[in-house]
Each structure stands twice: as C-alpha cells, then as structure tokens.
Amino acid sequence: MSKKITTIGEIMMRLTTPGHERFVQADQYQVSFGGAEANVAISLAQFGMSTSHVTAFPQNDLGQKAKAYLKQMAVNCDFVYDHEGRMGLYFLENGSMQRASRIIYDRFNSSFSNFDGKDIRWDEVFDDVDWFHWTGITPAISQNAADMLLKAVQVAHEKGVKISGDINYRRNLWQYGKEPLEIMPELIRYCDVIVAGSSDFENCMDIQVNDWVDACFQAKKDFPKLKYITKTKRQSISASHNQLKGILWNGSEVLKSKTYEITHIVDRVGGGDAFIAGLIYGLLHFEDQEALDFATAASVLKHSIPGDANLVTVEEVLNLVQEKNVGKLLR
Amino acid sequence: MSKKITTIGEIMMRLTTPGHERFVQADQYQVSFGGAEANVAISLAQFGMSTSHVTAFPQNDLGQKAKAYLKQMAVNCDFVYDHEGRMGLYFLENGSMQRASRIIYDRFNSSFSNFDGKDIRWDEVFDDVDWFHWTGITPAISQNAADMLLKAVQVAHEKGVKISGDINYRRNLWQYGKEPLEIMPELIRYCDVIVAGSSDFENCMDIQVNDWVDACFQAKKDFPKLKYITKTKRQSISASHNQLKGILWNGSEVLKSKTYEITHIVDRVGGGDAFIAGLIYGLLHFEDQEALDFATAASVLKHSIPGDANLVTVEEVLNLVQEKNVGKLLR
Amino acid sequence: MSKKITTIGEIMMRLTTPGHERFVQADQYQVSFGGAEANVAISLAQFGMSTSHVTAFPQNDLGQKAKAYLKQMAVNCDFVYDHEGRMGLYFLENGSMQRASRIIYDRFNSSFSNFDGKDIRWDEVFDDVDWFHWTGITPAISQNAADMLLKAVQVAHEKGVKISGDINYRRNLWQYGKEPLEIMPELIRYCDVIVAGSSDFENCMDIQVNDWVDACFQAKKDFPKLKYITKTKRQSISASHNQLKGILWNGSEVLKSKTYEITHIVDRVGGGDAFIAGLIYGLLHFEDQEALDFATAASVLKHSIPGDANLVTVEEVLNLVQEKNVGKLLR
Amino acid sequence: MSKKITTIGEIMMRLTTPGHERFVQADQYQVSFGGAEANVAISLAQFGMSTSHVTAFPQNDLGQKAKAYLKQMAVNCDFVYDHEGRMGLYFLENGSMQRASRIIYDRFNSSFSNFDGKDIRWDEVFDDVDWFHWTGITPAISQNAADMLLKAVQVAHEKGVKISGDINYRRNLWQYGKEPLEIMPELIRYCDVIVAGSSDFENCMDIQVNDWVDACFQAKKDFPKLKYITKTKRQSISASHNQLKGILWNGSEVLKSKTYEITHIVDRVGGGDAFIAGLIYGLLHFEDQEALDFATAASVLKHSIPGDANLVTVEEVLNLVQEKNVGKLLR
Amino acid sequence: MSKKITTIGEIMMRLTTPGHERFVQADQYQVSFGGAEANVAISLAQFGMSTSHVTAFPQNDLGQKAKAYLKQMAVNCDFVYDHEGRMGLYFLENGSMQRASRIIYDRFNSSFSNFDGKDIRWDEVFDDVDWFHWTGITPAISQNAADMLLKAVQVAHEKGVKISGDINYRRNLWQYGKEPLEIMPELIRYCDVIVAGSSDFENCMDIQVNDWVDACFQAKKDFPKLKYITKTKRQSISASHNQLKGILWNGSEVLKSKTYEITHIVDRVGGGDAFIAGLIYGLLHFEDQEALDFATAASVLKHSIPGDANLVTVEEVLNLVQEKNVGKLLR
Amino acid sequence: MSKKITTIGEIMMRLTTPGHERFVQADQYQVSFGGAEANVAISLAQFGMSTSHVTAFPQNDLGQKAKAYLKQMAVNCDFVYDHEGRMGLYFLENGSMQRASRIIYDRFNSSFSNFDGKDIRWDEVFDDVDWFHWTGITPAISQNAADMLLKAVQVAHEKGVKISGDINYRRNLWQYGKEPLEIMPELIRYCDVIVAGSSDFENCMDIQVNDWVDACFQAKKDFPKLKYITKTKRQSISASHNQLKGILWNGSEVLKSKTYEITHIVDRVGGGDAFIAGLIYGLLHFEDQEALDFATAASVLKHSIPGDANLVTVEEVLNLVQEKNVGKLLR
C-alpha cells in the first residue's frame, strides 16, 4: 500500500507571462497554481503516494478552480476549507539568460492567512499518515497560520508521524509583528528532517554558520529530534543554465549527489519543492545516498516542466539517476 | 482645437477568461485594464479629444503596464502617480445566452484606495480643461478617495470646468464606514450633468422615485446647478442579446433615442461608460437630441468590441446614427 | 448529506477544431474529454452531489490525463481501472448557422470496450449509493461492456439503488453481433427512469410508436418498474439556434417545461446529458414538474459552455427556472 | 471525369485580426490568402472539379507560402509564375452587429500587377478546359493585367471554353489611367455568363439601369454571346446578420432562389465568390433553377467558414438546398 | 529537369503538446502529419525535386486533411488512395534537457495497414521515376503492407529505378505474425542503398555485427546489388543537445562527415528522414563525400524546425556545409 | 530632471512567425513594430529619459496602431505625422541553431519615404533637447528622407544638441539614385558620436580600413567634430548562441567591454539599437568605460526579450554590469 503524506500551506494562483515576454508586454497570462507545500504533495502524488493537503480558499469560483487543480493533480481535498479572504496571487515573468526571472507577490489578506483552522479535527487529518511536511512560509504569513501550524505539528508528533520542515526564511514575509526566532524553534523542535541553508540557521534557529556541517551538528544539539538536514546547492550561470547538487547530513556524515548541468531551463520555480518531495520519497523507500540522488534527480527534471509542480514518475527519476534514456526519444 | 477632458478614478487590471469559458475551465486570462472613468477618457480620446486621467498605481511592473495601457489609448498621464498598495483586479467571465456574465472584484487595498492626492496641484490638473468627469465608485472606495474627489470637484467648479458625475450606486462598495448620503450630495452639488437611475436617486440623493422625470425635477430643486440628467434603459433578453435606449432630461423635457437591438454581444462591460463618453462629446458639439443619439449609438457600438473601452471614431458613431454603412464590409 | 450517484461508461478524448474552423483547416485541436454517462456524473458533481464513475482507461499518459480530468471535475475515481486497449477518441467540428456540426468517432478497440469488469467488487461500487445511471451506448459497444453493465444493473437493483437509463439508440454502434432487442430489454427491466424517444421505443423495447404517451403507458406494462419516461424536444433552426423543451411522463400524466430559445449556441454536445443530470437532481430534491423544469433549464445552460460537461451550479439553474438574472452582468 | 475549370487573378495574403478585435487592438494576425478568382477555383476544387489557377507571386518565401496554400486547396499550380514585385496584402477587421467589417488593401506594385504573362503558352492553359472564369478586378489593376486577361479570354473563346466574368466594378481600383469602358466591353464580349449589378452595367457596359431585367435584355443586345446574367441580393441587417437571395436571368426569364437568413456570420468575405463557384458548378451539372439554388446555398454556407474560401462539398450544399440536416449534429 | 522520386508508406496524424508541456498538462495539441517515407518525399520536394507518395487514407475529413498536407508540401498525390480503416495517429510530448521526448503510437487498424494496393498500376507509379525510397516500417505493419511493398520494389527494380531502404527495425511493430527475417532480406535484395545500424543488420539481415564496416562488406556479399550503406551517429547529451555525424560506406571505404553540435533542439523527430532525403539528393547530384556532407547538414537543420518535415532549401543546406551565414540574421 | 532625446526615422510593422516556425509554416504572425531609431528612443524611455520620435505614418488604422505602440512605450508623438503612403512592413522568421534568421522587407513607397517634412518646425523639435540620434537607414530610403534628415541635423547642431549617427550601411537600400558618399559625409560632419564598422568607413566615409583604430583617427581628421566612434563585435556561433563585446574609441584610446556569452537567444533584432541607446545613456551619465560597459550589458539583455525594443531598466543593466542577480529568481 502506498505511503500517506500530508502537507499544509497556502496555494496561490500563478499568473505567468507567455514565453519570455516581460510584464509590460504580456496581454495574456497562463493561469496555474502553486505553493511550496502543495507542490510537494503534488509531486509525491505523481510518485504514486497517497497525499492530502490542508488549506483554505475563498468561497468563489477562483477557490473552486484552485481546488479542482489540486484534485486534478491527485491530491486529496478532504481538508480543504472555504474561508473569508482573497485568493492569494503571484505574477511570474520568466527570465532568460542574463535576465533574471521575477515574481510579484499579491498574497496579503488571503483566505489562508485569515484561517485559524479552529474547527479542523487534526486527529482525522493525521489518521494513518506516514509523513507530514510544512515550510517556514506558513508561520511567516500570519499569527493565525503560525498557530494552526503549531497545532498541526504537535498532533502529528503525538501520532508518531514523521515530520519535515523546509525552513525557507524570506525576509519580506514576517510582517505581522513576530520575529522568526519567536516562532520557528518551537516548530523545528518536532522535526525529523529540515531543509536549511545558512540564512535559515541564522534567522530561524539562532545558529551562526561558519561551516554548514558544523551548523548541522549544532542544530542536532539544539533540536535533538532532528535526523536529517538537507539543502541544494544551485549555481545560477544564467536564468537558462543552472548547476544543481543535493547535500544531505544524516546525523553523522555529509552525503553529496553528483552535480547536474541544467542547460535549457523551462521553469525553475518549484525546483526546491521537487527536491524535498524526492527526498521524502527517497527516505521512505531507499538508503540515504539513494534518497539524496533520487531527490536531486527529481529536482533536475522539474526544471524541464512548465508550472510549479514536478509532474514526473518514479521511473523517470530513477532513469535519470541511472543515466538511462536521458534526453532520448522514447517510442 | 480639440476639447480637453479630465477624469479621475481607479483603474483595475481585468483578467478575462477566453471565449465563453467559465472560470473553472480557464487556463489563461486575457489581460487588459478598465475603470469606469478611464473608460470614458479613452473613448473621448478616440473621438479626438485631449484627455487626461488622474489616478495612482503601485510602483511595480503591473503599475507600469497599466500606465502604458493608458498612454497607448492616447490618454495623458501627467497626473498618474505611484502609490503604495496593490493593483486592483477584476476577473471577468463572459456569459452567453441565458448564462449571465460574472465579475469577481479583488480591489481592496489598492494604490488608488490608499491615495489621498495631498500633493496634487489641482490648479494644474484643471488648467484649460473643458470638462471633468467622475463617478460614484470613487467616493465609495475609501475616505481618502472621497476626500480627494471632493477637492477635485471643488477646484474644477472654481475654474469653471463643466462637471459630470455618473452616480453608479453599488451596494457592495461603501465599506469604509460612511453612507452614500453623507458624501454624495456634496459632490453632486457641483455637477452640470449626472447619470442617475432610480436607485441612484434614492441612495445617493435621498429622492424617492415614483417617476423618473419627476425625480429629475426634484433633483433640480435640490441641486440647482444640474442641467442634464441621463440614463440608459437596457433590456437583457439574454447575455447575447440586449436592447438599449438612451434617455436625457434637459431641465425642461425628456428626450429619448431610438431603441437599438444589440443581437450578438461581444463584450458588454463598459457600455454605460461609452454612453456617457458619447454624451460628453455630444453636449460639447451638438444639440441635445443629437447628443443623446450620438451617446446611445456610441454605447451600442461598444458592445461589439472586446475590452472595457469603446474604440470607435466619431465618424463611426455618426454613421450609425445616420444608419449609414451599418454592418457592411467597408473596403 | 449530499446524495451519492454512480455512473458507468466509456470516456473518450475529444479533439475539437478551434472556433468555427473545419477539419480541413484546423492546425490545432482543443483537448477535452466526454462520455454520455461521465457527463452526467460531472454535472451532478457541480450540483454538489457525491458522484463516482466506473470506467477503464489505457495504462498510458492519455489514460492518466483522462483520469485527471474526472478528478478535476470532482468525480470519484475509485472504480476507474487501467485496461489494455486504446483511448477512445472523437473529433468534433462545431457547425454554425446552416452548417451542421460533425463528429468523427474513433473508438473501436478502446480499453473500455475490452474491459469485462470481472474483478470489480460491485457491492462496494454501490455502497450507500442513491442513484445509478447508465446509457444505451455501453451495451452497444461490445459484449464485454454489455455483460458488465447487466451485472452492474442487477447489483444496483438488489441494493435498492434507483436506476436510470438513457436508451440513446445509435444505429452505427451495435457492431459486435448482437441486436439491441437481445440486450436492452433485460437492462430496462431494472430501471426506474428512462430517457426514450420513438426510435428508442422501437429499436430497444420493441414498442411501436404512434403516440409517445401511448408508448409510455405500453412501456409501463412491459417494464413494470418504470416510474418515469422522459425526453427532450429539440428544434434545430440552425446550428446556432435551437429551441428546447423537456417532457416527462410520470406514470399518470405528461408534464412539459416551457420552450427555451437557445439563440447563440456555444457547444451543443452534452445537452441531453445535462438534461438527464438535471432530472436526476430534480427527482431527488423536487416535485415532478419542478424536476422537469430544473432539468430543462440545466440543459439550456449547457449550450452556453464549451466542452461536453455542464459546469453550472444548482443556484444558476434555479435562477434560470425563476427567470432571475438571466443574461445579466453579475458583479 | 470531373470538369476542368481555369481561373486567373491576383491572390493576396490576408491578415485578419483575431475574433472581433479592432486593428488598434490586434497583436497578432491570422494569415491566409484570398483573391476573388482563386476563391472560385478553390470552391470548385472542393466540389471535386479539376481546377487550375493562373497567377504570379514574388520569388520569396511569402510567394512560396501562397503557392502552398493553393496546392493545399487542391488547385493545380502549373501556371503559377514567379515575378518581380511584392506580395499583395489585405488587412481585415471583422465587424460585429452594427459595427462594419473593414478591409485595408495594400496591393500596389504586386507581382501580379507587374506581370504581363508574355511567356504563357495560353494554348496549354486552356487545353481540355471546360470553363474559364475571370473578374473585373484583374483589368482594373494594371495595363499589364488587362492585356494578359484579354489574351486569355480570346484564346479561351477560340478553344470553345465557356467563359464567365464577375464584373465587380470597384471605383478605388482603376488607377493606371484607363477607364472601365475602354477595357471591359471588349472582355465581356466573349462571356457566356456574367455577374452584374446596376453599378456594373453602368460603369462597365454603359447601360443605364432603371430595371435590372431590362438591363439584362439590353446587355444581350450589346453582347450577343451572353446567355446568363446573375447577381445576389444581400440585405445587411448587421455585420452578424444578413439576408441573401440569388437571382439569375437566363435570356428569357428571371429566376430567384429562396431568401436565406444568415444569422450568426462567421466570415462574409468571399460570399460572392462562393455564389459564382456554385453557379458554375450548377450550370455544368443541373437545370437553371437548380443551378441558382445550388449557388445560393453554397454562398450561404460560406458565411459559416473562416477565410475567403468556401470549403464545403457538393453533398453539403445539396443538403441545404433540400433542407436536410440543417444545423444538426452529424455523428 | 528535376529528378523524380517516389516513396511509399503510412502517414500518421501527429498530435503534439504545446511547448514543453507534458501529456497530462496539455489542453491542446498541434496537429500535423508525419511518416518516415513521406518525410523524405517532402524534404526532397523542398529541394526542388519532383516527388510522389503512395499511401492510403480513410475516406473522411481527416484523410482529406492529410492529403491536403501532402499537397501543400508539394508532393504529388496521384497515387494516394481512400481505404477503409482509421487515420493512424501518434501523440508527441517534446522533452527538454534530461527529460526524454515521448511518443504514444495509435496506429493499429489504419487505412494503410489494411490496404493491399491490388489495384495500383505500378507501371504508372514508376514511370520516369529516378529513385524509389521505402523503410522497414511498412513491412512491419501488416501482411498487406509487406506484400504491396514487395510488389513495388520488384516493379521499380524492373524499370531500372534506383532503390533505397531505411531498415529502421522497431521491435514493437512486427505484430502480425511474421519475423523480420522472413520478409526483409527479399526487400533488401533490390536495394542500391540502405540505412542500417547494428540492430538492423542483426534483426533484418541476419548479419552479426562486431564492426559496422565489416558488416557492410558482409552485406555486400549477401546482397550484391548494394552500393551504399549509411547511418548517422547521434550522441544524446540531452533532449536539448545532441551531436550528430553522418557515416557512408560506399563499397570500398567509409566516409565520415564532420560532427555537428545541435545545441538548442526545436524538434528532433524526422532527423533521420532528413538525412536520407539529403543523401538521396546528394547521390543524385554530387560525389560521395559531398553527398554525405549534404545529408548530414540537412539533418542538422531539421532539428531547428517544428514538425516531422525538413523544410529547407538546397541553398540553405549548402550554406551550412560551407559554413556560410550560419546562424546569422539574413536581411 | 531627465534628459531629453530626439530620434527620427521610419517605423515598420513587424510580422513575426510564431516560435521557430518557418515562413511556409506560419498561419499567424505576431504583430509589433520596429525601426532602428525608434528602438533607441524606446530603450531610452525605459531608462527614464524623456524621448520624442519624428516620423510619418499612413492615415489609416495601421498608422494609428503604430502611433499607439510608440505612446505605449512612453515615446512622445508630438512630431509624428500622417502622410500619404503605405505602412512599411517587415516579415521576420526567427532562426535557431545553425539555421539563420531571415527578414523580408516590404518598405517601399512607405509614408516615411514619401515624407519631406517641409512643414516641420524644427526649432520646436529640438527645443531643450539634449541629444539627437539618427541612422544611415534614413538617408538611404529616399531623397525626401535624406533632405529632411540633413535639415534636422543642421538645426540640432545649431541648437547645440549632441548628435549621434549609426552609419549602418546596407547595400540593398540606396535605390533612389544617390550614392552614400554623396550624402553621408555631410551628415556625419555634424556628429559627436558615430557607430561605424569597416564597411561603414569605406562606403560612407571613403576611409579605407586596415585597422579599425587607425580608421577612427583618420575619421577624426576628416570629421573634426567627432568625439566617439563605437561598434560591437558579435560572434555568431549559431542563431541561438552569440558572443558580444562593445568597443569605444574616445579620441585618444580604444576601450573594450568584457565579452558576453549570449547562449539562448530569444530575439536578436535590435541588439545594435540597444547598444547605442545604452551608450547614449552612458555618455550622458557616466565615464567612458562605464558608458561602454552599460551599453554592452544593455545590448546583451535585449537578446532575452521578444520584439525590437529593449524593455529593461537602468537598474537591470547596472545589475548585469556588476554581475548582481544575474539569471536569478527575484521575488
């Protein structure tokens, strides 16, 4: 039977300019949806996992559309709620070569940010669930969201669900009056796995970083439940060409994937979410190094697919890991 | 030399589903812009008038795009400001036959609603201007907007500019704590021309309406500067087929245009704005009945054009009034 | 709690030429999906019902896409199977005015036609289900499909599920060696409700029809479980303009809806499926005449929506029945 | 064996704004091709006739594209020449309702207008040909074109080919220094059939018209080879709704078709060319009244098809004549 | 006078997802056509050759569309037949970078596979023809197709037509009960030129391959009419970046082209067909090395063009061979 | 206050095939506008400069559209005139990899080429202007254009406006009877800055070039007002990959920018215009080396943007110069 994974987080409507048009040129937008946590759920659903996402949408046709998107992507919506507020939006202009890609967020006062989840029966949410994933975006949005997430993490922990958190510190969120250090440590305390780079250690865990591995060992001391800390290393040669490597600290040593050349980027949004989805799948099915290799290959493939979500199968990821059929024409 | 017309008001980005797709179906949106007052300015610019619009946009690429739209439509942007806030949005699903068209507004906390116009040099705004047009949407948005508009109306009045107001009462605006009757009468006091139907009389002018003409005479008593009151009468046989007639009270009598059959509607948004633009042009250039006929024909043509704005020439409107080349193939 | 409805049948990929282009002109196709029974399930899901569809798809990306479509439309896919065979296809060219619309079917050897459903646990399929709907297309496709459907109907009957069948006789199906009269009567025997016109009575029930009402009474004698027989009467003035009326025999009398003018048809495929979905909803919630009025209004709205499925809400249908907001611009 | 028909004339690239967008709105154009005579050839090719078109294109990729279009439409291109000059263009904005459609021509200095056809072996062109069709646009373009056409008409006449001419007087052509009356009578002299309305009689045949039938009899006196004179009567209720009737004088009496309502026009360009193509087919295969009915029904169907050309089969036209399957959904 | 080339083979409708969308994402398909042999004919037609293709299509609008495609591409259709069966289809998802491209075939029971060509007058087919090209796909489809091809090859041989065969062994074809070795040797016997890689030698000629050149000499012994054996060597660095080299054994020695970097692939389908078309042109006009260089350059250019067919001129290919204007902006 | 820059020159409608489609494939064109001088004005407007363009358009909707384009791009149109003639056109097919891009010009008899500017009040044109830019395309078009340009250059010179000229010698222009050497030197005489490569020196300045720097010193002798001579050095590895370097001679020494790899070209048209726009901005605001670096980086960014115009901000260019955020995802 397939593993069950639950995620929680905001989903925004994504409005993308066509091709390489700039915002000032575009007279139409591609409409899709994305959110760091839902991207993970969708990717895991394509891997055949049983996934469920907890979120809130406005009670209008845009909310309906967002929900239909999740269902289409095979994510269970039993814990998707209607709530007062706007549909969060983000506008995306895909860069090219030296020209950077740009996102304009328009997410304030969204249904999710207003939602306190008071009526959610968390016991049901985590029934039979194997893994729970959250990101640091949720507690950065509003006090409501931070409170709801804490409740979720606590219940998941009590029910013995494995927990991963993508720390993902973003300075321009966190506008509701709290500092990350007032909120994040309490959440990280319950995690088995976190994604954390230097800025995350410093801003959300109060750990100064000279060396990332040292910081991992320090984190283990401060947050003893932690078993894995991971990150990707991305080199942006241009908006069209990146290099990507996955790194995983497993409590005793640092593992590294090969470095991939990503040479003709179609869409790099969601590359990190594809990595953590791959890692969750990997840690549930493989040894550590294999898990990391799977995660990195999954992230690489994401860059070839338009939209936030990594629509690839386990077989396709494994083929890339094993350098089989890479870039061929499969009949 | 062409007449100078100034308008003031919010412009929203308009996101329209393609063809007759419903919101839940649409995977792309047409991007354009619209706002009741700017629609009037644009229509008058196509008539060859010299128009200027006063508004505020967010200081980002969406604001730049909105400004580029106004310029493209030949509207002067000397009094377009950057201001903190969002780009107001509206989502449009075009109906068909018995199925209604639907708009989802997402305009709260927009740059315009936050803008108080304190630094605007109103004297310059109205320099050499012949006509100023506003609508009841502006004072319904925020106290800032209401205050700014009152200032504008007062300066325009002092400088002898003709003033028209489209009362346009909408119940689901007016959420900042004031009632229309606290605000609107003071604004209407300065008007030479208003667009007003029964609900406008009642909600914004405290005039009970049994008979629209009686209400006009009553309005004249309460607002002695008023010279014209106008409205259109629209019969919605279906979303694809409407009937339209223009009505103008000129202080002494009620004039009526012919009734047009609008049988294959392309886009009915902005039909009312096209009417008032036509009437402003008409009153500046023609006798009353001709002005009304021009306004109504202009509005009819609007329904054949995608987008909010009425992109037709004076010659095209006059041709319709004179039933010349109607629906022909002009080589 | 919402009613549960189950349907069974083939779903084809629908490839539609853009706008009014003819097949010989089209260089792209719109991709969607349709099937008479799934169209009913989808429409009922939009009405808020809990629906489930039983079908089989090829085990490839086209099958995945079809399944994603059903999920997106909020239809439960627990009983959607992978099976050897092709994705059935149909190509659609939308007519206009005097020019007829045209469908080219390419459905032979489809997964569904090859599927015998031997492993389906029918008891689970019909658990807690209120209504089961099938059409005469399924038994016309293959012996496998006919056998599976008979099994389904029998189990549904045993479990006390209400059963409706849309007879829908089509001469160019029925190519696997059986005549309709060898198969259909056994299926109709279990039905509470059928959709049947004169050709259906004659070809599938061996009832000669001089008068449709007489035929209904005769059918009641031959198939005593029948409670309702229904049909629509469609007048094709042109491909762009039809008239539509619903007719319902309820065992004692013939009820008729008003006749609707459908004047600017966007897509008439699925109009009949929208009617029966409306009728199922109606019979589950309303009195007979209201049910028929609801069904007919639902069918009318379908003609305004691209694609096979009737994406409207109960509120929208009721508004049309009550002539409320018809063709308006709803803000 | 199918009849052979030859046409001669300029083909322009047609650049059409999408949907109902105005020129000032359009950021893309649909690219197709059209020309009054080639439209006739293409329509006849769809009727299964063997057609050949004589013309000249610039020796560049645009010329190649134009030739590929003709071939795709099953027109023989053995007498299509490369010649110095531009690709003639026309820009089309489709009107809607009261708003007229508009064409901007950009055809001066085209390859065809520069082409004198000196090297054409006209004997080969007309080998085994049953019918030759020309229009009054060709002699209006340039002296070269007028000379070439005269030569063509003379050779066709000598070889016993039936000849039809669509007089099609357009005031804004004829700019190379000749008057129509210096050129047209010599060409009409060879015709068996002409399309001529009042303005054609007056400007190209020097026949004053009080009554169209009287003018026909007068024309017969002046041009004794004439056997048929025809025209359509079009009533433009709007750009979306026309009425159409065909009229044929056969030397002794005036025949009329029924009047068709064309209620949701997709594209009216080429309606006249579809009529004459239908008439040519009709006169080659049917009696006079049937020929006229066929021609009118063909023209009606054209209005449902985007592009200049009437892409319908003989069966589809006959169905309309016989009111069979009109506007149905054919499976 | 230009050379005459005839090809025979199935043409499928190609349905391609837009841009880099995956099958599960695509809501529209680009519609075009392709088939290994027709691709060769089309490429040669762009080189100015006189080409004719022998095939069968269903007698419906999809077959008409396919035929129109061939004509548009300047291929003679005198030997294109209507025949019972389906339009063969293939669905294409273009890969990117590490993600492979994927084809889903849906070609069983096609008109071509059902077609036995009994009534074809093969003498006429090969009248004045200089070269006949076939591929190993045809005899793999059905017994009918294999028989027809054998007949064709024999007549071509008798009439002294040069013959080339692209062996193109594909394991997932050959499902009608025959093994390649029962069919292919008899066909290869008549060939002057074959395209063959190691798998082709082994599966279709029963020649074990340690060294490709040795295999060529062995093939010459077994099939003494053979003058040239050729293949391309493709290195798939990714779906976006390939390296390509052409190799030609001319009976005595092995020639090699330069290796091209193909760095931003637009569409790699048909790359092999473009190569063999280039080689046929080359062998008809140049010395061996020049022919090979021409073929390889032609194949390289194909990768820059969407669709199956190589739409380039002789001049463009020669420019690449001579490294002239490579990647410039030509005004 | 921002600097004022004036440009003069023809603007053509640009019709581009979609994606990488060849002319023979394209069934739609993207519509935009371009002209070497207007491209410079537009780029400078995006840099926040106050720009004005002098040109003439036909008095029809295409001219209106062109003017709307300029306004949208924030270029002042006070000196845009209606004039008899055509809208000049150019057709663009974007190449890929080894396949070159191709332009087909269709600009003869354009409004601009017919325009003599007799009524232009040049004093007003150059009022308060800081910089005037022209190119060698204008005097190559027609005697009218050459005369008008000479007048413009003289007035600008008299008013102390800085003048730059992009020599841009194109052999296939200059068809009205004059040789470049009869016209160009007189224009260059007034320039402070020119863009000139070897062919420009030879054909337009009668300076033989062995070494570009020597030629610069020689030019200084012949045209003593010259302060800067500049050019770019472009290496076309393929249509998708170029290398670009900027070179600037400042009267005493030669400065060079770094060499940029432009690896995934979106649109290379206008790359040179972006360079000169960058240089004008640079020379008005920075030291020589910084100006050159700014110009080169601006040109590099242009290659990432569809259309002729370089729609980037000063900040974006400076970021590239400083290697900040290059190819990142900016949130």
Side-chain angles (χ1 to χ4, degrees), chain B residues 75-286:
Chain B
V75 175
N76 181 291
C77 291
D78 285 354
F79 303 101
V80 171
Y81 300 88
D82 287 341
H83 197 78
E84 197 164 351
R86 307 171 50 237
M87 170 63 63
L89 304 171
Y90 83 87
F91 298 81
L92 172 64
E93 173 190 283
N94 275 309
S96 172
M97 301 185 291
Q98 287 85 352
R99 178 162 63 82
S101 293
R102 297 182 53 222
I103 286 179
I104 297 174
Y105 285 106
D106 180 17
R107 66 196 297 178
F108 292 104
N109 194 30
S110 70
S111 294
F112 184 80
S113 71
N114 294 340
F115 184 55
D116 62 11
K118 287 273 160 61
D119 300 332
I120 298 180
R121 280 181 284 190
W122 291 104
D123 267 18
E124 290 182 16
V125 169
F126 291 111
D127 227 27
D128 288 327
V129 167
D130 297 283
W131 195 291
F132 172 54
H133 177 71
W134 60 275
T135 81
I137 293 168
T138 299
I141 290 174
S142 68
Q143 186 69 52
N144 276 335
D147 292 348
M148 175 170 53
L149 180 58
L150 181 59
K151 179 74 184 166
V153 165
Q154 288 169 338
V155 176
H157 175 72
E158 283 160 26
K159 299 192 67 143
V161 178
K162 285 248 184 310
I163 300 177
S164 58
D166 180 356
I167 305 310
N168 208 344
Y169 172 68
R170 295 193 191 166
R171 187 172 316 177
N172 45 5
L173 291 169
W174 292 102
Q175 307 206 347
Y176 65 91
K178 288 281 175 60
E179 291 301 310
L181 287 175
E182 299 176 70
I183 302 279
M184 294 297 289
E186 176 71 7
L187 292 162
I188 294 170
R189 195 172 315 280
Y190 297 100
C191 286
D192 301 272
V193 182
I194 59 169
V195 187
S198 302
S199 135
D200 298 313
F201 278 123
E202 289 170 10
N203 291 289
C204 299
M205 302 166 74
D206 205 18
I207 296 174
Q208 296 314 306
V209 181
N210 291 314
D211 175 83
W212 186 78
V213 181
D214 291 349
C216 290
F217 280 101
Q218 180 61 45
K220 178 73 181 173
K221 283 187 201 147
D222 299 353
F223 304 93
K225 197 183 164 198
L226 279 179
K227 285 179 206 66
Y228 294 96
I229 305 177
T230 188
K231 66 172 183 178
T232 54
K233 193 165 166 200
R234 179 190 293 276
Q235 189 73 19
S236 281
I237 292 165
S238 80
S240 306
H241 181 187
N242 285 190
Q243 291 164 334
L244 194 80
K245 173 161 62 174
I247 298 174
L248 178 67
W249 175 85
N250 64 2
S252 54
E253 58 176 338
V254 171
L255 308 176
K256 297 184 179 179
S257 78
K258 62 176 284 195
T259 298
Y260 285 92
E261 298 289 329
I262 309 177
T263 54
H264 301 71
I265 294 176
V266 171
D267 191 326
R268 64 151 277 189
V269 180
D273 306 327
F275 175 81
I276 183 68
L279 191 70
I280 291 170
Y281 185 88
L283 292 175
L284 284 167
H285 295 83
F286 309 130

Side-chain angles (χ1 to χ4, degrees), chain C residues 220-236:
Chain C
K220 177 74 182 173
K221 284 186 199 147
D222 299 351
F223 304 92
K225 197 185 165 200
L226 279 178
K227 284 179 208 66
Y228 294 95
I229 305 177
T230 188
K231 66 172 184 178
T232 53
K233 192 163 167 201
R234 179 189 291 276
Q235 190 72 20
S236 283

Side-chain angles (χ1 to χ4, degrees), chain E residues 328-331, chain F residues 12 14-15 23 89-94 100-107 170 172 269-270 308:
Chain E
K328 290 284 172 61
L329 173 57
L330 306 180
R331 294 172 195 266
Chain F
M12 290 168 284
R14 163 182 155 160
L15 299 169
F23 282 127
L89 305 171
Y90 85 87
F91 298 81
L92 171 64
E93 174 190 281
N94 275 308
S101 293
R102 300 181 52 221
I103 286 178
I104 297 174
Y105 284 107
D106 180 18
R107 67 196 297 178
R170 296 195 190 163
N172 45 4
V269 179
D308 271 48

Side-chain angles (χ1 to χ4, degrees), chain A residues 13 15 23-31 60-62 64-65 68 86 89 91 93 102 104 106, chain B residues 13 15 23-31 60-62 65 68 86 89 91 93 102 104 106:
Chain A
M13 180 181 279
L15 298 169
F23 282 127
V24 81
Q25 298 179 292
D27 290 322
Q28 47 183 37
Y29 293 144
Q30 301 302 317
V31 179
N60 63 21
D61 285 2
L62 306 183
Q64 285 300 105
K65 174 78 177 167
R86 306 173 49 238
L89 304 171
F91 298 81
E93 174 190 282
R102 299 185 50 223
I104 298 174
D106 180 18
Chain B
M13 179 180 280
L15 298 169
F23 281 126
V24 83
Q25 298 180 292
D27 289 322
Q28 47 182 38
Y29 292 143
Q30 302 301 317
V31 180
N60 62 21
D61 285 3
L62 306 183
K65 173 77 177 168
R86 307 171 50 237
L89 304 171
F91 298 81
E93 173 190 283
R102 297 182 53 222
I104 297 174
D106 180 17

Side-chain angles (χ1 to χ4, degrees), chain E residues 262-277:
Chain E
I262 309 177
T263 54
H264 301 72
I265 293 177
V266 172
D267 191 327
R268 63 152 278 188
V269 179
D273 306 327
F275 175 80
I276 184 68

